[in-house]
Amino acid sequence: MDDAAAMREALAEARRALEHDDVPVGAVVIDPSGIIVGRGHNRREVDADPTAHAEVLALREAASEAGTWHLEGHTLVVTLEPCLMCAGAILAARIPRLVIGAWDPKAGAAGSQWDVVRDARLAAQVEVVPGIAADSAAALLTAFFSDRR
């Protein structure tokens, strides 16, 4: 599965977050053979769980599918640049590749505000591929927040 196709799947997950009136962020985890093994969308509101971010939920599902928390060789595809918590989860899971839709200039931790996933002090070496379907990802977020203002 190429990055664009994977991002389309992540965008579909992001739209599912709208069903829970949550910020529309979606994520998928792709295994080394190109198969989606984890999916997630923000569920903080419906689950009353501050850790129920799309990335964390997708990583949990992928780890369960793999039978290990070591997700070497996998790729995380997410519609919005991960926050600090999610960047830490990416490193903990040993994800080597991260594909991002839109940047998060307020709270992003993969290159905009911080660059935790590539911080040499942490021996972090995640490849970051930004801007895949960025306009679509940003439009979902803009519409969500415009409706609330």
Side-chain angles (χ1 to χ4, degrees):
M1 175 173 293
D2 69 13
D3 292 345
M7 186 59 73
R8 285 191 294 275
E9 294 292 327
L11 285 164
E13 284 296 320
R15 289 183 197 95
R16 292 187 63 204
L18 295 171
E19 298 169 14
H20 313 296
D21 198 33
D22 212 325
V23 178
V25 177
V28 294
V29 177
I30 311 299
D31 76 4
S33 67
I35 304 297
I36 294 176
V37 293
R39 295 177 178 271
H41 59 276
N42 277 1
R43 294 185 51 91
R44 295 172 309 164
E45 298 298 333
V46 70
D47 292 350
D49 179 355
T51 69
H53 288 210
E55 301 95 322
V56 170
L57 298 175
L59 289 169
R60 286 178 184 162
E61 188 173 288
S64 179
E65 176 74 21
T68 180
W69 58 270
H70 297 266
L71 297 176
E72 292 99 343
H74 290 65
T75 296
L76 175 65
V77 179
V78 62
T79 59
L80 181 66
E81 179 185 8
C83 68
L84 283 166
M85 176 185 70
C86 293
I90 291 163
L91 293 176
R94 300 183 179 164
I95 293 286
R97 188 165 184 270
L98 172 64
V99 176
I100 299 170
W103 289 109
D104 184 351
K106 292 182 181 176
S112 62
Q113 269 300 331
W114 301 280
D115 200 354
V116 174
V117 298
R118 294 180 287 194
D119 191 320
R121 295 169 296 181
L122 302 172
Q125 299 178 18
V126 177
E127 175 190 359
V128 176
V129 180
I132 305 299
D135 291 343
S136 298
L140 268 175
L141 292 160
T142 299
F144 177 81
F145 287 112
S146 291
D147 290 347
R148 274 139 191 84
R149 291 187 182 122

